Amino acid sequence: MAALYEGYTLCGLVPDQNLSSSGIQGIEEERDRDHVVVTDSTRSVTLYKVSDQKPLGSWTVKQGQKLTCPAVFNSQTNEYVAVTDNKVIRIWKEDDILLDKAFKATVSSDVWKVHCTHGGEPVVLFQRGAVRLLDSLLAAPQQPIEEVLAQEETIRSMSLEKFYDDLILELYFSHFLYLQRLNPNSVQRYRLEREEPGLSPLSFSAIYKDKHICLLYLYPNGHMYQSVLSVRGLGTEEGVQALPLPRSLLLGLPVGDGQLEAASAMALDEAHVAVVGVPHPSAGGGKDFLCIWNTNFQTLQAGKEMAGKIYGQLWSYSNKVFIPHGKTLSIIPFECPKSSLASALGKLKHTKTEESKTPNSVPSWNNILHGEKAQPSKTAETRRTVSWRSVFANCEFIIVHTLIQKEVEGFLTRSEFQDLQPSVGQLALTLVSRSLADPAFYSSSTLAQLVHTRCLCHSVCPDLVLLALEKKDYFLCQLCLQFFPDIPEAVTCACLKAFISMPDVDAEKVSLEPNSVTFMENLITRDRAEAGLQNGFSPTSSVVNDRQTRAEDKKKASAPSQLICPVGLHKAVLINEILQTPYSDTFLLPHLKDLSSQNVMLFLQYLQFLYLKYSQDAFPQMEGFRSPSLSQIMDWVCLLLDAHFTVLVMTPEAKGLLLNLHSFVKSQVRLVSELGKIEGSLQQLHKMKAKESIGQYSIEIIELF
Amino acid sequence: MGEFKVHRVRFFDYMPSAIRTMAFNSQTERLAVARADGAVEIFNFNDNFFQEKVIPGQDGRAIEALCWVGHRLFSAGLNGEITEYDLENLRPQYTVDAYGGPIWTISSNSQGTQLAVGCEDGTVKIFAILEERIQFQRNLNRHKGRIISLCWHPSSAQIAAGMTDMITIYDAETGQATRRLLVDRAMGASKNKEVVVWSVGYLSDHTIISGDSAGKVQIWNGLTGTLVRTYLVTKWDVLVLSVSKDESSVIAGTSEGTVIQFQFISSTLDQHDKEWVRTRTFRNHSHDVSALAHTDTAVVSGGMDTQLVVRPLLDKVEKNTQESALRKIAFPHRSLVGCAKKAGLLLFQFPDRLELWKLGESEGHGEQHTHTHTLGEDHICCSALSACGGWLAYSTVSSVRLYRIHVMISVSSSLQVPKLPKELRSVHQLCFSSDSSKLFASSCQSSVIVVAVSQQECRYLHTLKHKTVSTMLYRLHLLCASDDGKWLATANTDCEIHIYNLHKMKLHCMVPVYNSCPTTIAIHPVTNNLISVHADQQIFEFSLVQKEYTQWSRRLQTQGLLSLWLERDTPITHITFNPKNPDHIILHDTYMFCIIDQSLPFPELNAVLWNQMTLKNLPVSQRIGQSHAFKICKIFQHLMCVSLLEDLSLVVVERPLLDIMSQLPAPVRQKKFAT
């Protein structure tokens, strides 16, 4: 993850009276990475050694003259080039003490800027758009300079890059972009798409990759666009016609109130952008921030508040940002490791070690919420950075979650169903193991989405259910129980335990699968609605025709409190899900024994409730809802009794319950024995029929057609 | 087409014998199956699972284990003998006594140079496999207790032996036991019952897999002698294991009738360390699964319930094709019923006896007339009844017998013909000429012996032989004489069909070889065309006079048979003709009989093959437009024979599978009401 380190001051500034400009015209890299040439807005050029933060040399023009463009260093000749009063080109060496004695040449048109790539030849750009190489210009200083630009256009920014042997120069205007190639000379004009009326880009920045120019430009409304231009096609399409420049929105930066005024964006590498003069998303409206954004993930990677006013100026050489603010020019080292989702989330191992170097980087929530009182001695400033850093970490997670979800959605729609299974498994496994390693990573909706594909099963990612339980993500638990065919009994039991012992209040907050909730709602409400209608008549008396049971049924009908569901709606829904999972009784039994007797009582009461409901109403599971069957309920009753019989016998409260259950079991046994009888007689019927029709030998007549 | 009077016969008490063991030869794709009565059957998996050979059993020969060594087949049994079979002449070639008491298991090493047998007395005996015989080499160190199961390590350096309560690993070089793996007994009440290791597998990574009588399948590390995993798969016994060729899958057969598959896979998706995981359960048997074979694409199982089941693994074959269909082979792929068309007699062939029945004249019962018991302990391999009902012949591996039969109203007598020509010794197939004057017998080396039978004497006439280019001489498994006595057709298991002219007593021609084995052949009485039906369900008609396929046959081949016809999984085993209507050919398999009317058009490819119900409901005038050449009747099921008597009544011999099932002992477990 990109990081901004502690900065240091290179030099002081002499800003304007009204603080409108920083007083610095430009900063150019000198012979190596450690030297820069700083040109101030009036008269002097200073050479600094960056690591020592001290000036090595300084040159000043005479009073009355004015430097009109930043001095550049020509590394081929070890000379400095600057322009005074728009038309006088001055060239000097480091040994020259007085600028006035140095070489100067006057040209016929106003110079806008001298530009020099590292190791390349200086190029002179005139205000009207013409371009000359310095050498060819000096050979004939008074040569006529043509006008390239239309009348109303003025140059806003330029950049130059050496591309193979061609030099490519870009010129930026309010609404146009010129791409000039020197050697041979050719110009291509592009028209920028219009942003909101009246807005023109605040800053431009370009990087080159794979024979393409990747252009970034920032608008005052915070929109940062990217355009990719091919360099190759440039020479052929010589034309005055302005081509439209396709663009894509890269970032929508938070603007705060009003529009950006002094802001600048600069591409640091393919994925990172340094932005200055834009408010920090979680720190109110102040715009005095330097931030690094990751454009791939659209995440804020690092941020730093700069003291004093920001002028919207920004340079960057060799992993250092040069930024004038207030009355100082600061250098802030930064680092942009190769961007990956892992690093965007802060999950790479080495970032952790870095964080240990800077201990106050990302504290835990607990510290922010509870640690403040414990550490009152901390300065207000550090606390402030701490809090917004964590806030920003949090919003980063939100961003990442939405990103993952988007990716997963895309992935699911893209993939063929056939090869979905292994890849979904892989994906889920990775997500689960990440969530286990880092609790904050847990993303319920994504996992739920994966489970919904029905391509997952428990053995593919064995930790998922337990993870969901741990996170109290009961919705995911429910989905897993529904869709996984192979949940081991131990896990089923763990779920059961969690569901039963969960307070009803908590349970009602959980959002569950609507289908199963509707079923349970129906079951409970019908109870109330039909208690009056039924009027003591039990339609299932044929099944439960035990005299005692019927008497009890009647008693219950008269005392409706008995028929109230012993658990809350959502809890019941979850328990229903347990009832429907496949299991093998030998494996389940030992785990069931771990349940506490209160839980067992509650569960039995609920099962009793379900059983009564089922035997009273005409089979509610016929309505197309997913619901436990009567035999499943009975099986669970038997299992629970098997596991806890001795305990229950000793518990006085369980006595009535046991008696009831006994009668249920009795009626079921009766049912099965009746079924056996029917089967016997049907078999007899079958045999009789067979005997009737065919003996050992018969003579028949058949007809074929 | 009209009405038929049908004699529906259900008194053939054919009872197939339980499958005891099997061995699959993956080079030749042949499966050898041994039954409890000592018979060995060879199935060709390349040719629609056709049962191409049956070696008849013998009283007292109980085969416990089978083993292929290249093309050679060995068996061993509780009589203590090792037998090698002559797969051409279908008889034991020689037997060697191992002198170690009953033999429980036999296994060859991967090079096919040595044979190990496990004996009752606790020895593992090593025999060297020589070209024509086997020779005893040595004993491995003797242990107390019988050796129940054996498996060689693929490198042939070790042998794992399953015994009671333990598995012993022997060094095959020194004969010393290097490791003993103690197998746990069952829990609970049967704690003091010893556990028998019924089957072991030894993989090339030194993993040992065992199945035992406590219902466990256990995975062992053979190098360290440690138990890796235990799967309790049944409350009863795990009787047999089979390892796939690539050692990635093992199947286990249990007493409950289930076959359980274990696969060597990683249990969770991301892990690379694989382990043995229980994956699938196949439930195709009602009784013990005592024989298993793991082919590349299928699980082949057999057991007490006498059926051979081929269950394709759906991840290895293409779904919803004929290849992926479950196959149950319940009946032999040859006819065990002889029918005397003129006399109305039926001959039923059992392994150890023949039964002759006379059909009733009207509504009433058939009468049983003769029981013929075999003399000696060899089982019957073939039998024939002459059309007039006057002669009956049968053969065992070693001898042929001929009987003269007199059938009176209620009494019948049979008289054995005393002196048979010495050429009639070992035959594979018998057939009488239609006028009952000659008996044809297929003998060794593809020859047919012709014998004249008459009241006075039985005289050798001629041996029919054909010159062959190949050195291998295949056994003739089908014989068929024409009604006019001029032609004799023979078919062998190499798919060749030869036609002999009986007037000139020499080869007339050879039918072009088709790549599937003929399951039955017949010569048409009127046209003298040869009809042959093959294991892949194709039908051909060959004109003997013109020596070429007939127009009808060519039309049938160009139009193609319906897929419903081709996908039937039992072969046609018998063909008869309608003497009144030469266009009618009657043929049957286990589940239907079919009358092919050669005068009607073939069904279109999208037509309904079984259209009898539709035709029945149509008015007579429209039937002709709708009807096609195949008249299929499925009223009668599990057919052993369908034949047309001279009086144009059909004889249908059924043997319902339910009747066979009801004669089996009770299975160990029955599921009832989800208990």
Side-chain angles (χ1 to χ4, degrees):
Chain A
M1 182 165 159
L4 289 169
Y5 297 114
E6 213 50 52
Y8 46 89
T9 308
L10 188 67
C11 61
L13 296 177
V14 191
D16 283 3
Q17 290 296 313
N18 51 4
L19 290 176
S20 62
S21 86
S22 64
I24 286 190
Q25 244 185 47
I27 300 173
E28 293 285 331
E29 201 170 14
E30 214 240 15
R31 64 198 93 164
D32 59 14
R33 290 163 171 248
D34 208 19
H35 293 79
V36 290
V37 183
V38 178
T39 311
D40 75 15
S41 50
T42 49
R43 294 196 303 150
S44 64
V45 176
T46 317
L47 171 66
Y48 284 99
K49 187 169 167 58
V50 175
S51 53
D52 294 347
Q53 308 170 38
K54 74 177 189 194
L56 297 179
S58 176
W59 299 271
T60 316
V61 291
K62 256 201 265 177
Q63 193 90 39
Q65 290 177 342
K66 197 177 172 205
L67 284 168
T68 52
C69 103
V72 297
F73 180 71
N74 182 351
S75 55
Q76 284 178 342
T77 54
N78 283 336
E79 287 170 337
Y80 299 93
V81 182
V83 178
T84 51
D85 298 333
N86 289 331
K87 279 186 177 158
V88 185
I89 297 175
R90 290 169 181 258
I91 298 172
W92 73 98
K93 294 208 177 220
E94 200 183 344
D95 313 335
D96 299 337
I97 301 160
L98 290 174
L99 263 189
D100 283 333
K101 291 185 177 166
F103 173 83
K104 49 185 147 176
T106 308
V107 292
S108 59
S109 179
D110 282 359
V111 174
W112 197 77
K113 199 175 176 185
V114 181
H115 205 293
C116 181
T117 52
H118 198 78
E121 208 180 336
V123 175
V124 181
L125 172 68
F126 292 91
Q127 273 186 0
R128 299 318 305 164
V131 180
R132 293 282 188 278
L133 286 173
L134 184 65
D135 277 357
S136 63
L137 184 65
L138 292 181
Q142 287 300 317
Q143 62 184 271
I145 303 298
E146 74 277 6
E147 289 207 355
V148 176
L149 303 186
Q151 278 296 315
E152 67 276 14
E153 288 174 340
T154 52
I155 297 173
R156 299 285 293 253
S157 170
M158 72 170 278
S159 71
L160 173 78
E161 201 68 29
K162 197 168 177 181
F163 181 78
Y164 290 109
D165 285 336
D166 300 337
L167 287 168
I168 289 172
L169 180 77
E170 295 136 41
L171 305 172
Y172 311 110
F173 308 96
S174 320
H175 303 297
F176 290 98
L177 164 72
Y178 277 77
L179 214 55
Q180 287 202 18
R181 170 182 291 214
L182 311 169
N183 233 358
N185 264 323
S186 63
V187 182
Q188 181 62 52
R189 192 160 168 244
Y190 293 95
R191 188 174 59 245
L192 301 183
E193 270 180 59
R194 299 252 167 174
E195 192 61 18
E196 295 166 39
L199 292 187
S200 55
L202 277 177
S203 83
F204 290 92
S205 162
I207 54 167
Y208 296 79
K209 57 181 178 191
D210 311 332
K211 300 177 187 176
H212 285 89
I213 299 167
C214 183
L215 181 67
L216 284 180
Y217 40 106
L218 176 69
Y219 280 93
N221 57 3
H223 288 183
M224 188 186 287
Y225 291 96
Q226 182 182 43
S227 298
V228 179
L229 292 169
S230 171
V231 177
R232 236 175 300 164
L234 194 59
T236 56
E237 294 172 51
E238 178 138 351
V240 211
Q241 235 174 332
L243 297 176
L245 185 63
R247 67 178 186 184
S248 57
L249 183 61
L250 208 55
L251 279 174
L253 295 173
V255 183
D257 25 79
Q259 291 189 329
L260 302 178
E261 285 156 5
S264 174
M266 178 166 229
L268 299 177
D269 63 12
E270 287 160 22
H272 292 92
V273 185
V275 181
V276 76
V278 174
H280 193 283
S282 53
K287 294 180 181 174
D288 308 333
F289 285 94
L290 168 67
C291 297
I292 296 182
W293 288 80
N294 184 317
T295 54
N296 285 350
F297 305 114
Q298 313 196 352
T299 49
L300 181 56
Q301 300 271 299
K304 204 175 185 71
E305 189 174 9
M306 309 308 297
K309 187 178 158 68
I310 293 268
Y311 304 99
Q313 279 178 315
L314 187 65
W315 293 270
S316 162
Y317 299 106
S318 60
N319 280 349
K320 292 181 195 69
V321 176
F322 294 78
I323 174 167
H325 61 101
K327 292 189 172 180
T328 48
L329 171 65
S330 280
I331 299 175
I332 297 165
F334 67 92
E335 191 187 43
C336 294
K338 195 164 166 36
S339 64
S340 65
L341 189 57
S343 65
L345 291 169
K347 291 303 168 301
L348 276 193
K349 287 239 168 67
H350 69 262
T351 50
K352 273 184 191 157
T353 57
E354 274 162 23
E355 278 168 8
S356 64
K357 268 187 248 162
T358 51
N360 61 344
S361 55
V362 181
S364 72
W365 271 105
N366 277 346
N367 273 348
I368 305 152
L369 296 177
H370 312 293
E372 275 183 300
K373 279 173 212 155
Q375 302 159 323
S377 60
K378 272 199 166 182
T379 61
E381 197 197 344
T382 49
R383 206 180 301 152
R384 191 172 151 212
T385 50
V386 163
S387 64
W388 67 249
R389 262 171 188 271
S390 59
V391 165
F392 125 77
N394 190 37
C395 67
E396 182 186 78
F397 274 123
I398 292 167
I399 291 169
V400 165
H401 276 172
T402 51
L403 254 182
I404 292 175
Q405 199 164 353
K406 226 194 268 169
E407 282 295 309
V408 166
E409 254 165 37
F411 165 76
L412 289 180
T413 49
R414 270 198 311 275
S415 313
E416 294 275 316
F417 184 75
Q418 279 175 336
D419 40 59
L420 199 59
Q421 201 153 5
S423 37
V424 164
Q426 206 96 35
L427 199 60
L429 198 62
T430 324
L431 287 177
V432 167
S433 57
R434 277 280 280 277
S435 313
L436 283 175
D438 175 16
F441 183 76
Y442 184 78
S443 157
S444 166
S445 52
T446 312
L447 286 170
Q449 206 171 9
L450 287 176
V451 172
H452 256 301
T453 59
R454 304 200 180 205
C455 292
L456 278 182
C457 59
H458 184 267
S459 43
V460 164
C461 71
D463 298 324
L464 178 57
V465 183
L466 290 178
L467 176 74
L469 260 192
E470 191 188 324
K471 294 280 174 192
K472 298 207 173 12
D473 186 352
Y474 296 114
F475 176 59
L476 188 59
C477 280
Q478 191 192 16
L479 285 183
C480 293
L481 287 169
Q482 254 184 42
F483 293 135
F484 288 3
D486 55 345
I487 293 183
E489 284 76 3
V491 176
T492 313
C493 234
C495 289
L496 175 65
K497 219 191 240 173
F499 293 164
I500 294 188
S501 47
M502 157 174 59
D504 267 331
V505 191
D506 283 5
E508 299 312 311
K509 288 180 202 153
V510 181
S511 69
L512 291 171
E513 216 239 339
N515 194 350
S516 51
V517 177
T518 328
F519 162 73
M520 210 50 220
E521 258 169 3
N522 280 351
L523 198 69
I524 293 173
T525 50
R526 179 164 350 153
D527 163 31
R528 289 186 200 125
E530 286 181 17
L533 288 176
Q534 219 164 5
N535 209 8
F537 167 71
S538 165
T540 52
S541 54
S542 56
V543 180
V544 192
N545 57 356
D546 196 50
R547 210 164 58 88
Q548 196 185 354
T549 326
R550 200 193 280 176
E552 268 174 10
D553 269 357
K554 273 181 188 156
K555 206 163 67 189
K556 265 166 216 148
S558 61
S561 65
Q562 285 272 320
L563 265 178
I564 283 174
C565 185
V567 296
L569 174 65
H570 281 199
K571 206 158 151 178
V573 168
L574 287 172
I575 294 175
N576 280 354
E577 220 54 70
I578 296 274
L579 296 182
Q580 290 164 82
T581 47
Y583 63 89
S584 149
D585 39 6
T586 32
F587 296 120
L588 189 61
L589 212 54
H591 298 292
L592 270 186
K593 289 190 172 151
D594 298 343
L595 287 178
S596 73
S597 62
Q598 278 87 9
N599 284 348
V600 171
M601 280 289 292
L602 186 63
F603 193 19
L604 276 178
Q605 274 163 0
Y606 175 65
L607 287 170
Q608 181 193 11
F609 163 78
L610 273 184
Y611 179 83
L612 283 175
K613 289 312 307 176
Y614 272 47
S615 42
Q616 276 182 11
D617 307 338
F619 277 92
Q621 67 261 54
M622 298 296 280
E623 292 162 31
F625 293 113
R626 206 181 122 80
S627 59
S629 70
L630 191 63
S631 61
Q632 276 167 338
I633 296 168
M634 277 322 281
D635 285 347
W636 272 91
V637 168
C638 295
L639 268 175
L640 271 180
L641 289 180
D642 275 352
H644 290 274
F645 192 67
T646 41
V647 179
L648 287 171
V649 164
M650 302 297 284
T651 320
E653 306 90 71
K655 200 173 170 189
L657 190 65
L658 282 181
L659 278 174
N660 287 345
L661 292 174
H662 173 67
S663 65
F664 302 158
V665 173
K666 218 167 168 182
S667 69
Q668 285 293 315
V669 168
R670 222 186 165 106
L671 174 70
V672 170
S673 77
E674 290 301 320
L675 281 174
K677 276 184 206 161
I678 293 171
E679 193 209 20
S681 36
L682 283 175
Q683 249 174 11
Q684 207 54 41
L685 213 64
H686 200 65
K687 271 182 202 158
M688 269 160 58
K689 206 178 168 188
K691 240 179 211 164
E692 244 172 33
S693 62
I694 312 155
Q696 289 258 297
Y697 178 64
S698 58
I699 295 177
E700 295 172 12
I701 304 291
I702 61 161
E703 194 181 4
L704 289 179
F705 301 98
Chain B
M1 174 154 272
E3 289 187 346
F4 287 91
K5 184 177 157 193
V6 180
H7 295 270
R8 188 172 196 175
V9 173
R10 290 191 158 203
F11 45 73
F12 182 17
D13 292 329
Y14 169 71
M15 186 65 205
S17 189
I19 292 176
R20 186 64 204 88
T21 179
M22 64 173 76
F24 183 70
N25 188 338
S26 54
Q27 292 169 346
T28 57
E29 292 274 322
R30 299 293 199 281
L31 179 79
V33 172
R35 298 205 179 249
D37 63 358
V40 176
E41 296 164 2
I42 312 275
F43 291 86
N44 185 351
F45 273 42
N46 273 339
D47 194 5
N48 266 334
F49 309 97
F50 182 59
Q51 182 191 40
E52 48 177 31
K53 291 166 190 176
V54 178
I55 302 168
Q58 198 181 36
D59 285 344
R61 174 156 36 122
I63 296 176
E64 274 298 313
L66 281 173
C67 173
W68 286 97
V69 179
H71 293 270
R72 299 163 73 179
L73 181 65
F74 293 90
S75 80
L78 298 182
N79 56 3
E81 287 173 342
I82 306 169
T83 307
E84 179 172 0
Y85 291 94
D86 180 347
L87 291 179
E88 278 321 308
N89 293 316
L90 302 189
R91 60 185 173 199
Q93 197 163 352
Y94 59 84
T95 55
V96 172
D97 200 317
Y99 298 108
I103 301 175
W104 289 95
T105 174
I106 185 169
S107 170
S108 82
N109 63 357
S110 56
Q111 291 95 337
T113 55
Q114 286 180 320
L115 211 56
V117 296
C119 302
E120 176 78 10
D121 68 353
T123 52
V124 176
K125 291 172 189 289
I126 307 282
F127 286 81
I129 302 171
L130 307 177
E131 263 189 27
E132 288 293 310
R133 63 205 167 85
I134 56 171
Q135 190 177 46
F136 175 72
Q137 255 182 345
R138 62 199 161 84
N139 282 332
L140 303 189
N141 265 16
R142 188 171 167 272
H143 274 92
K144 226 170 125 184
R146 58 179 70 139
I147 308 280
I148 299 293
S149 49
L150 278 179
C151 188
W152 288 80
H153 186 260
S155 69
S156 306
Q158 282 100 21
I159 305 177
M163 308 171 68
T164 44
D165 286 336
M166 65 175 170
I167 300 165
T168 310
I169 303 173
Y170 291 98
D171 187 326
E173 281 299 310
T174 63
Q176 299 294 328
T178 53
R179 240 170 239 298
R180 298 164 91 196
L181 317 174
L182 295 182
V183 180
D184 282 342
R185 295 184 173 184
M187 300 299 280
S190 47
K191 181 90 181 163
N192 40 17
K193 223 170 88 185
E194 58 189 16
V195 57
V196 181
V197 180
W198 285 120
S199 185
V200 288
Y202 205 164
L203 309 186
S204 42
D205 63 350
H206 289 275
T207 301
I208 292 176
I209 300 173
S210 68
D212 58 42
S213 62
K216 306 191 294 287
V217 171
Q218 293 185 307
I219 322 282
W220 308 80
N221 184 334
L223 290 175
T224 56
T226 47
L227 180 64
V228 180
R229 245 348 260 267
T230 298
Y231 288 97
L232 187 67
V233 296
T234 171
K235 286 181 186 163
W236 287 276
D237 293 25
V238 175
L239 291 173
V240 59
L241 294 173
S242 177
V243 184
S244 71
K245 219 167 126 195
D246 58 357
E247 298 189 345
S248 67
S249 162
V250 168
I251 45 177
T254 69
S255 291
E256 284 173 272
T258 52
V259 174
I260 293 147
Q261 189 186 17
F262 298 85
Q263 280 175 294
F264 194 52
I265 46 175
S266 47
S267 61
T268 53
L269 201 67
D270 230 11
Q271 283 171 4
H272 295 293
D273 45 339
K274 294 183 173 181
E275 54 181 330
W276 285 97
V277 181
R278 175 180 171 162
T279 50
R280 279 178 274 207
T281 303
F282 308 112
R283 190 183 292 276
N284 296 315
H285 295 276
S286 57
H287 291 69
D288 295 15
V289 176
S290 50
L292 271 184
H294 199 315
T295 71
D296 285 344
T297 57
V299 169
V300 188
S301 55
M304 276 292 289
D305 61 359
T306 76
Q307 297 187 20
L308 185 70
V309 176
V310 182
R311 169 74 163 79
L313 293 168
L314 290 182
D315 51 346
K316 301 281 172 57
V317 296
E318 209 174 311
K319 274 175 202 143
N320 299 327
T321 59
Q322 202 185 348
E323 203 189 6
S324 67
L326 176 81
R327 253 171 205 268
K328 286 192 174 186
I329 301 171
F331 291 118
H333 290 167
R334 57 190 177 133
S335 189
L336 297 179
V337 178
C339 178
K341 290 178 186 171
K342 292 169 186 163
L345 294 177
L346 287 177
L347 176 72
F348 299 144
Q349 177 191 328
F350 294 87
D352 54 349
R353 66 179 195 277
L354 295 169
E355 284 181 12
L356 191 65
W357 292 72
K358 182 162 174 57
L359 294 169
E361 295 294 324
S362 60
E363 194 72 33
H365 286 274
E367 293 170 70
Q368 184 181 0
H369 277 267
T370 317
H371 264 274
T372 313
H373 288 276
T374 60
L375 304 175
E377 54 188 6
D378 283 341
H379 288 172
I380 296 169
C381 73
C382 63
S383 61
L385 182 65
S386 72
C388 65
W391 297 94
L392 185 160
Y394 75 87
S395 161
T396 65
V397 169
S398 55
S399 64
V400 179
R401 272 157 221 269
L402 183 66
Y403 290 85
R404 176 97 183 94
I405 298 165
H406 298 277
V407 180
M408 315 303 185
I409 304 302
S410 60
V411 204
S412 73
S413 67
S414 67
L415 199 81
Q416 189 182 354
V417 178
K419 238 180 83 186
L420 289 181
K422 63 177 192 308
E423 285 83 0
L424 273 185
R425 276 196 43 239
S426 159
V427 304
H428 303 126
Q429 194 68 34
L430 288 163
C431 167
F432 284 97
S433 66
S434 61
D435 60 355
S436 309
S437 65
K438 292 193 187 88
L439 172 67
F440 306 104
S442 81
S443 181
C444 53
Q445 296 183 327
S446 283
S447 61
V448 180
I449 292 164
V450 187
V451 175
V453 285
S454 65
Q455 299 282 13
Q456 292 81 32
E457 56 164 358
C458 182
R459 189 164 48 88
Y460 167 73
L461 285 181
H462 194 79
T463 302
L464 295 170
K465 261 188 180 174
H466 62 86
K467 291 198 188 72
T468 174
V469 275
S470 70
T471 51
M472 286 288 278
L473 284 167
Y474 289 90
R475 180 185 62 93
L476 300 175
H477 71 296
L478 296 171
L479 283 180
C480 164
S482 69
D483 261 15
D484 58 5
K486 191 181 176 189
W487 308 104
L488 178 76
T490 68
N492 67 15
T493 43
D494 198 30
C495 311
E496 293 170 337
I497 300 174
H498 293 95
I499 313 292
Y500 293 95
N501 187 328
L502 292 174
H503 291 172
K504 298 177 183 167
M505 285 292 178
K506 65 178 210 185
L507 183 69
H508 175 65
C509 67
M510 193 177 143
V511 179
V513 177
Y514 182 66
N515 62 6
S516 179
C517 193
T519 60
T520 181
I521 53 176
I523 298 175
H524 198 283
V526 179
T527 60
N528 271 345
N529 289 337
L530 176 87
I531 311 280
S532 64
V533 185
H534 296 259
D536 63 354
Q537 313 292 0
Q538 290 291 348
I539 305 169
F540 294 98
E541 190 187 36
F542 186 81
S543 166
L544 299 186
V545 184
Q546 275 137 20
K547 297 189 187 178
E548 61 177 20
Y549 286 122
T550 61
Q551 279 303 316
W552 184 82
S553 182
R554 285 165 204 271
R555 271 195 292 130
L556 183 61
Q557 287 307 312
T558 22
Q559 184 159 354
L561 283 159
L562 289 189
S563 62
L564 266 177
W565 176 272
L566 296 174
E567 281 165 9
R568 288 176 308 115
D569 60 353
T570 50
I572 301 282
T573 48
H574 191 67
I575 302 175
T576 50
F577 300 96
N578 189 343
K580 287 283 149 60
N581 189 343
D583 283 336
H584 288 180
I585 306 165
I586 302 160
L587 27 78
H588 80 94
D589 67 5
T590 307
Y591 297 102
M592 58 102 206
F593 77 87
C594 170
I595 299 181
I596 296 179
D597 191 335
Q598 288 184 299
S599 64
L600 287 178
F602 298 119
E604 299 289 327
L605 280 179
N606 51 4
V608 185
L609 187 61
W610 297 310
N611 62 350
Q612 288 297 314
M613 279 310 283
T614 347
L615 288 179
K616 191 178 175 181
N617 295 330
L618 279 176
V620 184
S621 51
Q622 291 175 27
R623 273 183 202 163
I624 298 167
Q626 291 284 318
S627 59
H628 56 67
F630 290 84
K631 315 277 181 196
I632 292 174
C633 171
K634 301 184 110 181
I635 299 171
F636 310 107
Q637 294 271 297
H638 308 118
L639 297 172
M640 301 295 286
C641 178
V642 174
S643 197
L644 196 62
L645 298 181
E646 207 156 54
D647 63 350
L648 297 186
S649 56
L650 274 171
V651 180
V652 172
V653 181
E654 286 180 294
R655 179 62 178 157
L657 273 182
L658 268 177
D659 290 1
I660 294 178
M661 287 297 155
S662 64
Q663 290 190 28
L664 295 172
V668 291
R669 178 178 168 157
Q670 249 178 349
K671 210 169 160 56
K672 213 172 186 183
F673 296 136
T675 46

